[in-house]
Amino acid sequence: MNANTSRQHPAEWDQEAQLLSQTARDLPTGRHQFHKERLMAQIHEQVQRDERTATTTAPPKARRFRLPRPAITLPAMAAALSAVVIAGVVTVGGDGSGVRDSGVATGPALTTDVGTASAKGVPQLLDQISLAAAEGDHPTVKPGQYIYIESVLADTFVKTVDDKSSLASHELHRRQIWESADGVKGWLIDPAVNDGPEGETLSLPDEQGNTPKAHLGSPSYDYLTKLTTDPDKLLAKIYKETKGQGNTPDQQAFATIGDLLAESYPPAELYPALFEAAAKIPGVVVVDDAVDAAGRHGVAVARLDDTSGQREEWIFDKKTHVYLGARNVQVKQIKEEGVLIKPGTVNFTMAIKNRAVVDGMNQTPSQAG
């Protein structure tokens, strides 16, 4: 079964996904968290429907799923697609059915204590995290092996039914992804984006024979092994290659590093460099208590996006400094599509449950043992 969209999440996206990647953070005040994958699936399906009304031609292109990137308010492209998804809002009919039935239950908006943030102690904490990363177990991914990442995640979004909007959430669910070292082969099991419980292939090339090139926004393990481990050069590369993206260059640089920590497998040499680079980004703070999607308390390295009012948090164990997960918390009250999004709203939350190297597609670490 072919994937019906392309990332989170790793080598590459089709034209629509690349456009979204470039524009998703150039957003007005009031943007909120939503699954990039689900949004792209909705857009793609509408395109397919429009195409089918005109002609019955080629099958849909295989697209990559990456981990949902927080903060999406769709640009003009989405409005042009028959208003399937507008300004980050999921529009559903009177029967409550969405453009795409994700298979994940919905519930009330997710909330949390905002927590205390301070710039004091940032360098020391990142030094400790960097040392812990350098000492951690990072086996090399060999040809024929796969990176396996299991996580749990949830999000809050604006839901519109019969012109009435309110905050809702997609409840916590499990996600499993496999990717080959070169990013060409992969598999995803995620009920929020899959059409069936067996999951979908992420393998490239697509039906047109295209194998897009890995980049910072969609890296493979092989790509990451070639990145510089000099923190200054690494940060300069991030700023250069993400120029024009995001609400500000600093926030975009922070978000880019956060993506690399979440659903990728940085080599042992690169891990410390990522944290050392993050320490050089202005506006980075420490949040004394943050909770990941699995309910684990930790300390967070974070940065507030003044445009969206959201604080992106990377959560680490307070003792071991191991990466636990990430979340986006609304810190400044905003209104979107007439809906008030209050401080403490958790726009997106995820927790890494397992990250390992396995010998085969769809193999889990327990099966390998």
Side-chain angles (χ1 to χ4, degrees):
M1 174 183 223
N2 276 339
N4 53 8
T5 154
S6 154
R7 167 191 173 346
Q8 351 238 72
H9 103 247
E12 334 302 71
W13 305 346
D14 59 12
Q15 184 176 5
E16 296 102 318
Q18 291 175 357
L19 177 59
L20 182 57
S21 175
Q22 294 165 2
T23 60
R25 295 192 187 90
D26 298 325
L27 309 173
T29 301
R31 72 180 189 170
H32 67 81
Q33 194 72 9
F34 192 55
H35 286 182
K36 176 184 293 182
E37 295 163 349
R38 187 180 299 107
L39 290 174
M40 290 312 305
Q42 292 166 347
I43 295 170
H44 188 60
E45 287 177 6
Q46 179 65 21
V47 171
Q48 288 178 305
R49 280 195 293 272
D50 291 344
E51 289 175 344
R52 283 196 293 269
T53 60
T55 180
T56 55
T57 55
K61 292 186 287 183
R63 292 182 290 166
R64 294 259 175 190
F65 289 140
R66 286 305 235 171
L67 188 68
R69 180 72 210 124
I72 298 283
T73 297
L74 289 180
M77 175 189 70
L81 295 173
S82 303
V84 178
V85 186
I86 302 176
V89 178
V90 180
T91 305
V92 299
D95 60 354
S97 61
V99 177
R100 185 176 193 275
D101 187 359
S102 72
V104 176
T106 59
L110 307 173
T111 60
T112 188
D113 292 331
V114 172
T116 303
S118 172
K120 184 178 180 181
V122 171
Q124 293 85 347
L125 176 60
L126 282 167
D127 279 347
Q128 292 171 332
I129 293 170
S130 179
L131 288 172
E135 295 171 356
D137 183 23
H138 292 273
T140 301
V141 185
K142 300 175 183 177
Q145 291 186 313
Y146 292 83
I147 298 158
Y148 169 78
I149 300 175
E150 178 187 350
S151 59
V152 290
L153 59 153
D155 70 298
T156 294
F157 63 98
V158 177
K159 178 179 180 180
T160 300
V161 179
D162 292 337
D163 297 325
K164 182 178 180 180
S165 298
S166 61
L167 281 183
S169 67
H170 291 98
E171 294 182 345
L172 193 70
H173 62 277
R174 183 189 189 201
R175 173 184 172 91
Q176 296 170 282
I177 190 167
W178 290 261
E179 185 185 357
S180 60
D182 59 8
V184 173
K185 295 181 179 179
W187 194 266
L188 174 73
I189 300 176
D190 184 339
V193 289
N194 295 152
D195 291 325
E198 73 277 11
E200 305 180 39
T201 181
L202 302 180
S203 296
L204 297 170
D206 60 23
E207 283 85 349
Q208 286 69 45
N210 300 315
T211 302
K213 188 177 180 181
H215 54 87
L216 271 175
S218 187
S220 65
Y221 175 80
D222 288 348
Y223 172 85
L224 295 177
T225 63
K226 295 178 176 64
L227 286 180
T228 177
T229 57
D230 179 290
D232 292 307
K233 293 180 180 179
L234 178 60
L235 188 58
K237 179 180 177 65
I238 291 171
Y239 275 109
K240 180 180 179 180
E241 295 194 10
T242 61
K243 184 178 181 180
Q245 301 177 28
N247 289 323
T248 66
D250 292 333
Q251 188 63 33
Q252 179 62 32
F254 187 81
T256 298
I257 295 175
D259 286 347
L260 295 178
L261 298 175
E263 198 169 80
S264 69
Y265 189 76
E269 300 78 13
L270 182 62
Y271 237 122
L274 290 171
F275 297 118
E276 292 172 31
K280 300 174 183 292
I281 300 174
V284 176
V285 297
V286 174
V287 178
D288 57 353
D289 185 55
V291 186
D292 71 5
R296 300 174 297 193
H297 286 255
V299 60
V301 176
R303 194 178 191 282
L304 175 65
D305 183 342
D306 287 321
T307 304
S308 68
Q310 292 184 40
R311 188 172 66 203
E312 180 171 343
E313 301 176 353
W314 311 336
I315 306 171
F316 300 86
D317 185 275
K318 292 183 179 180
K319 294 182 178 179
T320 65
H321 298 108
V322 169
Y323 179 83
L324 299 179
R327 67 179 184 178
N328 270 42
V329 177
Q330 197 70 38
V331 174
K332 296 180 179 180
Q333 182 170 292
I334 57 97
K335 181 175 284 190
E336 185 161 338
E337 294 296 311
V339 177
L340 196 64
I341 303 178
K342 299 179 180 180
T345 301
V346 179
N347 298 294
F348 173 79
T349 180
M350 60 82 64
I352 297 294
K353 300 292 288 182
N354 204 338
R355 194 189 317 244
V357 178
V358 295
D359 293 327
M361 185 90 79
N362 293 90
Q363 182 184 76
T364 64
S366 60
Q367 293 169 333

